[in-house]
Amino acid sequence: MANSSSEHVPLPITSAQAHRAEILENPLRTYLLGIIISICGNVLISISLNIQKYAHVRQAQRGSKPYYTSVMWWCGVTLMGVGELGNFAAYGFAPASLIAPLGCVSVIASAIISVVFLKETVRPSDIVGGTLAITGTYLLVTFAPHTSTHITAHLVQYYAVSWHFLLYLFIEVLVFCILLYLYKRKNVKHIVIVMLLVALLASLTVISVKAVSGMITESIKGQLQLIYPIFYVMLVIMVASCAFQIKFLNQAMKMFDATEVVPINFVFFTASAIVAGIVFYQEFEGLALLNIFMFLFGCLLSFLGVFLIARNRPKIKQQDRNFIAMDRIPGRRQTDKVQPEAKPTTYGSLAAKLMCNRAGQADDS
């Protein structure tokens, strides 16, 4: 009896034990819903990136007008917002380490759209890379942690002050400042520098998005979480990190091809999201060693696939600005007067020769 009564005496319970008790198994229907929402969102993001790139190309051909005056560019931004909103909702249904790898869908869709929309060629490496990426994504989804927590304000506060997250945040801020110094002050315009800036911001975005989405979900279920200050702190972090992430991503799209930006963004974003899920939400806690190995193997396959898709990707063909239209060839009126019987195809042939010469000069350069 003494032992029995002692078991019911309230004992000091650590915060980790209290929060571990909130971990529940997600039903399969919830996982499928999160996966479907994430896939749709990533397809929209891929379409939006290619639209923005096409808007940049068209604005460069037309003249000096800034890209943000283009209606097409704003359509791309709007689609990106809708796609990110879909990803936002998906994080409320499944762990970040499960949703993030589904960005592979964006890579494959971007390659397909680039072929159809931007007139790029399909290579054997694209097919092999797409196959590897899909296989890797399947392994990631299969062996990812299938547990999630009820994201409450108290849980987020507990995670935010943990020593491992504070150390992670310190390192991330330090690296971000160094990269920003190289990018702004030293004028290092390398794609890896820009995409690392996006990835570091994306790490904070994943943490804040899952926190805000989870607290909104709990509030809808009846446990009001919007009255806690941590909700608005995470909301501000989410908005700010998303805004700067879009800014750097748009700069990358302006300087580099979409087929370069999208795969590298997928790799860096996936890695940062997985690390954020491990460090902040402790999603790999209690995961079997086999699951961890297969999960990392899936990451490797996905990364290899997207780099095969991006490797030696041909540049987007742009019309030469120095190309002279057939009706604007100098001396045409004088030639018409001197040789009235000349065939009209003469000017078409001359224009074709001029275009070929210009294309040849562009290839040589």
Side-chain angles (χ1 to χ4, degrees):
M1 292 297 294
N3 294 336
S4 177
S5 60
S6 63
E7 292 178 358
H8 296 284
V9 175
L11 299 176
I13 299 177
T14 63
S15 298
Q17 291 174 343
H19 298 307
R20 193 178 296 116
E22 297 180 357
I23 298 178
L24 299 175
E25 291 288 338
N26 276 345
L28 180 60
R29 184 175 59 183
T30 304
Y31 275 103
L32 291 178
L33 181 60
I35 291 173
I36 292 173
I37 294 175
S38 179
I39 289 176
C40 294
N42 281 302
V43 170
L44 288 179
I45 291 173
S46 178
I47 295 174
S48 71
L49 291 175
N50 282 276
I51 289 178
Q52 291 179 59
K53 180 62 182 180
Y54 181 76
H56 286 306
V57 173
R58 194 173 68 170
Q59 289 299 106
Q61 291 177 351
R62 289 185 174 181
S64 60
K65 279 188 177 183
Y67 60 87
Y68 52 80
T69 60
S70 172
V71 177
M72 180 173 293
W73 183 83
W74 281 108
C75 290
V77 172
T78 303
L79 282 178
M80 174 175 284
V82 176
E84 293 293 350
L85 184 62
N87 280 333
F88 171 81
Y91 280 105
F93 294 99
S97 55
L98 177 64
I99 297 300
L102 292 178
C104 179
V105 176
S106 177
V107 179
I108 299 173
S110 178
I112 296 174
I113 294 172
S114 297
V115 171
V116 177
F117 188 62
L118 298 180
K119 307 303 181 182
E120 297 187 0
T121 57
V122 181
R123 304 164 303 160
S125 59
D126 296 335
I127 301 175
V128 175
T131 304
L132 289 176
I134 293 174
T135 305
T137 300
Y138 172 77
L139 293 177
L140 287 166
V141 172
T142 302
F143 293 97
H146 288 176
T147 59
S148 186
T149 59
H150 289 300
I151 304 299
T152 61
H154 294 293
L155 182 64
V156 175
Q157 289 176 356
Y158 166 73
Y159 285 153
V161 297
S162 58
W163 68 267
H164 42 79
F165 172 69
L166 294 178
L167 178 62
Y168 169 76
L169 183 62
F170 173 76
I171 296 175
E172 183 173 283
V173 171
L174 181 63
V175 174
F176 184 85
C177 292
I178 294 175
L179 293 175
L180 190 62
Y181 174 78
L182 294 175
Y183 180 67
K184 291 293 186 181
R185 296 295 183 180
K186 297 299 183 179
N187 200 31
V188 181
K189 305 297 184 182
H190 196 277
I191 187 171
V192 174
I193 299 294
V194 184
M195 300 316 299
L196 279 176
L197 290 171
V198 176
L200 292 175
L201 290 170
S203 178
L204 294 178
T205 303
V206 169
I207 293 173
S208 57
V209 162
K210 186 170 180 61
V212 172
S213 179
M215 284 187 277
I216 291 177
T217 302
E218 292 299 318
S219 298
I220 294 175
K221 291 180 180 179
Q223 299 180 359
L224 187 61
Q225 305 293 319
L226 308 185
I227 60 177
Y228 297 98
I230 190 65
F231 172 81
Y232 299 98
V233 172
M234 287 295 176
L235 183 63
V236 171
I237 294 175
M238 182 187 71
V239 174
S241 60
C242 282
F244 284 101
Q245 185 180 346
I246 292 176
K247 176 184 176 181
F248 285 115
L249 187 59
N250 187 73
Q251 291 177 2
M253 292 298 299
K254 187 176 181 180
M255 293 185 292
F256 310 101
D257 284 340
T259 50
E260 296 175 345
V261 173
V262 174
I264 297 178
N265 182 51
F266 162 70
V267 174
F268 288 175
F269 171 81
T270 302
S272 64
I274 292 174
V275 172
I278 294 174
V279 174
F280 191 86
Y281 293 104
Q282 304 175 15
E283 292 179 347
F284 276 24
E285 186 178 4
L287 194 65
L289 184 62
L290 176 62
N291 287 52
I292 295 176
F293 174 78
M294 295 303 295
F295 184 88
L296 295 178
F297 182 65
C299 288
L300 180 62
L301 288 182
S302 297
F303 295 165
L304 180 61
V306 295
F307 274 116
L308 281 177
I309 294 175
R311 185 177 61 92
N312 297 328
R313 195 72 187 177
K315 302 294 183 181
I316 299 174
K317 297 180 180 180
Q318 302 183 17
Q319 185 178 1
D320 198 327
R321 293 185 184 180
N322 297 325
F323 172 73
I324 302 177
M326 185 173 62
D327 55 348
R328 296 183 180 180
I329 297 178
R332 180 181 178 181
R333 294 182 179 177
Q334 289 79 359
T335 307
D336 289 341
K337 292 180 180 180
V338 176
Q339 299 177 354
E341 296 180 358
K343 297 182 180 180
T345 54
T346 303
Y347 304 109
S349 302
L350 180 60
K353 288 183 179 180
L354 183 59
M355 183 174 64
C356 293
N357 293 335
R358 294 297 185 188
Q361 293 174 1
D363 293 337
D364 294 337
S365 62

